[in-house]
Each structure stands twice: as structure tokens, then as C-alpha cells.
Amino acid sequence: MLAHQMLRTFHQRYGYAPLLVRAPGRVNLIGEHTDYNQGFVLPAAIDREIVFAVGLNRGPTARLFSLDKQQAHEQALGAGPLRPGSTLWANYLLGVVAQFESRGVAVPGFDCVFGGNVPMGAGLSSSAAVECGLAFALDHLLGTHLSRLELARLAQQAEHTFAGVQCGLMDQFASLFGQPGQVVRLDCRSLDFEYFPFDSAAYHLVLCNSGVKHSLASSAYNTRRQECEQGVSLLQTYYADVHSLRDVTTAQLARHRAELGDVVYRRCRYVVEENQRVEAAGRHLAADDMAAFGQLMYASHAGLRDDYQVSCPELDQLVDIARAHPGVLGARMMGGGFGGCTLNLVPAAAVPGFLAAVTAAYQSPTGRPLETYQTRIVGGVSEYLGNGVDC
Ligand code: GLA
């Protein structure tokens, strides 16, 4: 459906046949704000996707069209280094082009129509999907043959330089490395990863959108990252083998609590404990002990709310509603924070009751009814075959 729309619009605007690519958003079961601390994460790609129609136009210009915004943007290429401009949505795409160029790849003029159903600002990584989808499409059209890992890094750097968020690798990795029906545990230091099957017939991952857009997120995100780095610098003066919070123990933190200061101490404590939770979560998943897994989700939320301080009253309210509902195994805020969605782990039979209860109980700040999404775990970025007729 989405692919048909992109294809049709591309034909109307540019009159030739494009490459079609889909790029999914992601959920993260546990391991929040651990990626840039070289820790562990447990994401999966979901059936909320951005679809791209892209083709080389043999001219000197990138002609971009956002179907969702019904806006066009043009950018001359090959006339010196690209810089972020005032059209915010275009920056995510131009950031990707700039990354190809910084790798010595001259990007010729191209046309791109894109759009999708990953809600914006909901913590489902719509921006990573945009970056990864275009990176994949350009790699294909230009024959650069970058690996998926290299594409993930390229997309991450686009986010750093053109969106100003010093993000970790999780979102881009999840969008590119997703596998149907599986979650992936990534070690963000070694970049080793392991897939775990997720029994989606028995358990559903339900997203509840607080309706709060995480507008504070980029500045507060970068501050959290700095606070973690501050903690590491201090601990390194005592422990030569500490390279990131990944290497720190709770005992070491406790010993230097006064010197770290209350805020940095609590930021670090959250990250150290969250890494322990991801490791335990992998064991529970392998043993199909989803009740224990759910308890870790609640603990993760408490740490994000109290120590890392990236939650907000609406997210806390949604988690409290979930906790009070019999049958829900676990719930937590997801992603960078300050708004967006909660992720709820719910046995299939309990889903209708939970949806009714949470929709009735949630007091949205906008007064609009709660949006919920039931997600399916899908494969990572790929080309659409069959010109969109199979989608
Ligand atoms: C955002 C970032 C990720 C990660 C999460 C928090 O989604 O893009 O790299 O840090 O926040 O876990």
C-alpha cells in the first residue's frame, strides 16, 4: 500500500521507474541509554515502516519529496560540503548524502519520494528509519557495497551531524539488522550480536503513545551523555581498566559517590544496573520466563524515572496503569524519553482487556484519545521486489 503510493507519486513527479526500499522503526525491549555507554541493548525492527522510491536523475540536484508533509525540497550537489538547512525533515536525508561524500563517494543528482507510518516523535526511531532507508538505497544505486554495519554507522553519523543528537548505534542497527520474529541483543562495544526468538503468538508488544512529543529530547539526551562521560573520567583516575560505564561495578560507584556528586552518581548507577538487567533479560528470554522479564522492565522504568530522569508524568502514568492491570507482565518508557511511547509486555489473551483499561484510564494532556499500536517483529531494511505490488 505504502509502496504503491510512493511509486505512483514518483512516477507522477519524475516519470521514470525508481528503486523501492522499506526501512522499519524499532522497539527496544530493555537496555535504554546503554548504547552510547558501550553496554547492551535488546531491540527489534517492527512493522511500522518508511518507504522510499529513489532514482538517479543524471542532473546535479537532489529532488526530495515528503509524501507525509506534501513538501518538496531541492538541494544542489557537488558544489562544496553540505550543511544542515532550515527544512528539518530534509536534513535527515542530506545528512546521509554528506556522509557518503565524506567517505569519498561523489553523490550525483537523485530523486527521492518517501513516507510511512512510523509515528514521529513517538520514540520508535522514525529518524533512524529515514536515514537507514536512504543510505541503503544510495548504496544500491551507487554500487558502493557498504556492509550493513557500515550503513548503520553512516546513518548514526548523519544523525550526529545533521540532527545534532549524539545518539548511540541502537536505532540504526535495529532498523538494518532486524529479523522476523526475533529480538537482537547487541553488545555496543564489540558489536557482537545474538538473535533470540520472541514468541509473538503468546506475548504481544503493545505500544501506548503518551502523545507527548519529545521536544526536550535532543538537548537533554546530549547532557545525559556528557554526565556519563564525566563519571567515567573520574573513575578512570582510580581504575585503569575503566573505559566506559560498561566496566564499572556498583561497588566502585558507591565508593566514589561523594566525589561523583549526586546527579552524576545517579546517572551512572542507572546505566550500570540497566546493563545488568539486559544480561538477566537475555537469560529469562531464553528460558521463556516472561514474568521475570516483565519485572526487569518495571525496574528499568523506575531507574529511567528516578535516576536517569528522562521520563515524564504521562509516561509514568501509563506505566502505573499497566502495572495495576492484572495480566500485564511488564511496562516501561522506551527510547530517549521525555515523551513518546511506553512498551507493554502482555500475554495475548490479556491484550483486549488491557487496551480497554488503558484507553479508559489515561488522561492525555492533549485531550485526544490514547493511540496504541500492536506491533509485529519484522526483518530489517530491504528492497521491495515486484515494484510494490507485493506490499
Ligand atoms: C535514542 C537514541 C539511541 C538510544 C536511545 C536510548 O533512541 O537514538 O541511540 O540511546 O535513545 O536508549
Side-chain angles (χ1 to χ4, degrees):
M1 181 61 200
L2 274 173
H4 276 303
Q5 266 177 296
M6 300 311 141
L7 198 58
R8 197 170 47 238
T9 310
F10 191 96
H11 268 298
Q12 280 162 1
R13 295 183 70 86
Y14 310 118
Y16 63 96
L19 170 73
L20 278 177
V21 167
R22 51 166 283 279
R26 62 102 188 88
V27 290
N28 181 27
L29 272 65
I30 198 159
E32 219 63 88
H33 289 274
T34 44
D35 59 354
Y36 53 85
N37 286 303
Q38 298 188 7
F40 303 96
V41 292
L42 195 63
I46 56 169
D47 57 344
R48 292 271 167 168
E49 307 186 324
I50 308 280
V51 175
F52 293 79
V54 189
L56 299 180
N57 62 26
R58 323 234 165 259
T61 308
R63 298 186 291 189
L64 313 174
F65 185 72
S66 161
L67 197 89
D68 300 331
K69 297 201 180 295
Q70 288 291 310
Q71 264 178 32
H73 182 85
E74 294 209 352
Q75 171 69 51
L77 300 177
L82 290 175
R83 310 224 179 282
S86 55
T87 308
L88 296 183
W89 62 263
N91 284 341
Y92 294 98
L93 301 170
L94 297 175
V96 169
V97 175
Q99 283 304 317
F100 273 96
E101 290 183 338
S102 75
R103 284 163 174 72
V105 179
V107 179
F110 68 94
D111 300 319
C112 170
V113 173
F114 76 106
N117 57 15
V118 189
M120 299 284 188
L124 305 184
S125 296
S126 54
S127 62
V130 168
E131 294 149 357
C132 292
L134 183 66
F136 183 91
L138 287 179
D139 178 63
H140 192 101
L141 291 169
L142 302 176
T144 35
H145 303 297
L146 300 178
S147 68
R148 279 188 182 248
L149 188 57
E150 188 55 24
L151 290 174
R153 285 212 181 94
L154 182 155
Q156 178 196 23
Q157 284 155 6
E159 179 90 21
H160 287 188
T161 49
F162 274 57
V165 180
Q166 298 299 309
C167 63
L169 191 63
M170 170 171 72
D171 304 346
Q172 294 78 9
F173 183 90
S175 187
L176 280 153
F177 283 82
Q179 288 286 341
Q182 318 232 34
V183 298
V184 56
R185 190 183 60 177
L186 172 66
D187 175 333
C188 298
R189 172 180 282 165
S190 66
L191 300 181
D192 287 342
F193 54 95
E194 187 183 351
Y195 292 99
F196 292 84
F198 183 86
D199 183 355
S200 52
Y203 307 103
H204 287 202
L205 296 170
V206 178
L207 293 160
C208 295
N209 191 343
S210 66
V212 179
K213 297 259 174 190
H214 51 196
S215 56
L216 247 179
S218 53
S219 61
Y221 185 95
N222 294 344
T223 310
R224 293 299 178 283
R225 193 173 174 145
Q226 282 160 13
E227 288 162 346
C228 293
E229 282 161 11
Q230 248 175 283
V232 170
S233 311
L234 184 123
L235 293 165
Q236 277 174 334
T237 62
Y238 294 95
Y239 310 103
D241 55 348
V242 166
H243 303 291
S244 74
L245 288 178
R246 159 80 169 274
D247 307 311
V248 173
T249 63
T250 32
Q252 288 171 332
L253 278 181
R255 212 170 297 142
H256 299 282
R257 181 172 190 158
E259 273 170 284
L260 287 164
D262 187 51
V263 169
V264 172
Y265 170 72
R266 285 194 291 147
R267 303 296 190 250
C268 296
R269 178 171 66 182
Y270 161 75
V271 173
V272 170
E273 291 178 354
E274 183 76 348
N275 274 325
Q276 293 165 355
R277 283 189 284 266
V278 186
E279 296 206 77
R283 289 193 296 275
H284 295 324
L285 202 54
D288 196 27
D289 187 350
M290 299 312 277
F293 191 103
Q295 288 305 312
L296 293 172
M297 293 173 73
Y298 286 128
S300 169
H301 184 79
L304 288 159
R305 179 190 61 207
D306 302 333
D307 276 351
Y308 218 62
Q309 296 183 296
V310 292
S311 187
C312 63
E314 294 81 4
L315 290 169
D316 296 343
Q317 194 198 339
L318 282 169
V319 170
D320 289 343
I321 296 169
R323 196 199 311 269
H325 190 79
V328 175
L329 297 177
R332 54 186 286 276
M333 57 147 278
M334 196 182 68
F338 303 102
C341 289
T342 57
L343 177 70
N344 301 268
L345 177 64
V346 191
V351 170
F354 170 59
L355 290 178
V358 71
T359 309
Y362 180 60
Q363 306 283 322
S364 154
T366 59
R368 281 201 289 274
L370 176 71
E371 271 188 30
T372 58
Y373 319 114
Q374 292 196 59
T375 52
R376 236 171 12 92
I377 298 181
V378 302
V381 180
S382 65
E383 184 181 347
Y384 262 130
L385 299 171
N387 265 353
V389 277
D390 58 343
C391 41

